[in-house]
């Protein structure tokens, strides 16, 4: 029950953050490893090397002071599950190489670790959202902060966003 309540609060917070960016500039986040709505190759998941896919970021607003990256799974049985959070990324960042993290501050994902944790659905096909946010300031959050703290810190500071969704089904 507690997990369901927490998941609900996180979903509402994420919706609020998205609404702050509504009507604002749109950014682009893409990957050479998979297309929008396509299948994420297993090398980027728990079935493979669990390495982060290569990402490209475009159309960052000129006034952005920092970027934040969030990777999550809204189809997790417990509700929204965060796989990777990084903030205070330079707004000049236009690429994140495969298997690397952008320079910024890493938070704690829902695996309880810092860094990227690849898709690992317990069953069925899940959607994984790679979201990039342009912010009007750097965030004053310590390394290792959790998603709920990032969501609160970003509230009212999102000037643009972009997202890339990929799908994955765990090997049997």
């Amino acid at each position: 029950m507690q997990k369901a309540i927490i998941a609900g609060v996180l979903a509402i917070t994420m919706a609020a953050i998205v609404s702050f960016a509504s009507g604002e500039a749109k950014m682009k986040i893409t990957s050479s490893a998979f297309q929008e709505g396509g299948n994420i190759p297993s090398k980027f998941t728990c079935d493979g090397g669990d390495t982060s896919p290569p990402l490209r970021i475009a159309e960052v607003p000129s006034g952005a002071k920092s970027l934040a990256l969030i990777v999550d799974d809204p189809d997790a049985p417990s509700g929204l599950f965060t796989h990777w959070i990084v903030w205070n990324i330079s707004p000049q960042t236009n690429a994140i190489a495969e298997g690397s993290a952008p320079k910024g501050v890493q938070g704690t994902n829902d695996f309880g670790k810092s860094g990227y944790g690849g898709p690992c659905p317990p069953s069925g096909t899940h959607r994984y959202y790679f979201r990039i946010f342009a912010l009007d300031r750097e965030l004053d959050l310590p390394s290792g902060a959790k998603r709920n703290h990032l969501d609160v810190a970003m509230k009212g500071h999102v000037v643009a966003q972009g997202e890339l969704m990929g799908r994955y089904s765990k090997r049997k």
Side-chain angles (χ1 to χ4, degrees):
M1 179 70 171
Q2 185 180 14
K3 285 185 179 181
I5 292 169
I6 292 169
V9 169
L10 287 175
I12 290 168
T13 303
M14 191 63 219
I17 289 171
V18 169
S19 72
F20 285 115
S22 296
E24 300 293 337
K26 299 291 182 193
M27 295 169 52
K28 289 186 182 177
I29 182 168
T30 59
S31 178
S32 58
F34 62 96
Q35 299 297 316
E36 169 64 33
N39 293 321
I40 299 171
S42 62
K43 76 185 272 185
F44 304 112
T45 73
C46 66
D47 289 327
D50 214 16
T51 45
S52 58
L55 298 171
R56 303 260 331 141
I57 301 165
E59 300 181 22
V60 176
S62 60
K65 302 288 188 238
S66 71
L67 303 176
L69 174 67
I70 298 174
V71 179
D72 57 30
D73 170 8
D75 301 320
S78 60
L80 190 66
F81 191 92
T82 302
H83 288 260
W84 198 15
I85 55 173
V86 187
W87 59 92
N88 291 350
I89 302 167
S90 167
Q92 283 74 44
T93 302
N94 60 14
I96 302 168
E98 178 178 319
S100 70
K103 290 181 181 172
V105 181
Q106 296 264 353
T108 300
N109 61 32
D110 285 340
F111 293 111
K113 299 179 180 179
S114 178
Y116 178 79
C120 198
S123 64
T125 301
H126 285 217
R127 297 167 296 153
Y128 296 88
Y129 288 88
F130 293 73
R131 293 184 172 101
I132 192 75
F133 297 89
L135 307 173
D136 63 6
R137 68 179 185 133
E138 287 195 349
L139 302 177
D140 186 21
L141 283 176
S143 175
K146 294 191 176 192
R147 168 71 181 270
N148 59 330
H149 297 116
L150 177 60
D151 288 344
V152 169
M154 286 177 26
K155 186 176 179 181
H157 298 286
V158 176
V159 296
Q161 71 175 24
E163 74 178 27
L164 168 66
M165 188 272 290
R167 300 174 191 275
Y168 188 69
S169 298
K170 191 171 180 184
R171 291 183 190 161
K172 307 235 182 232

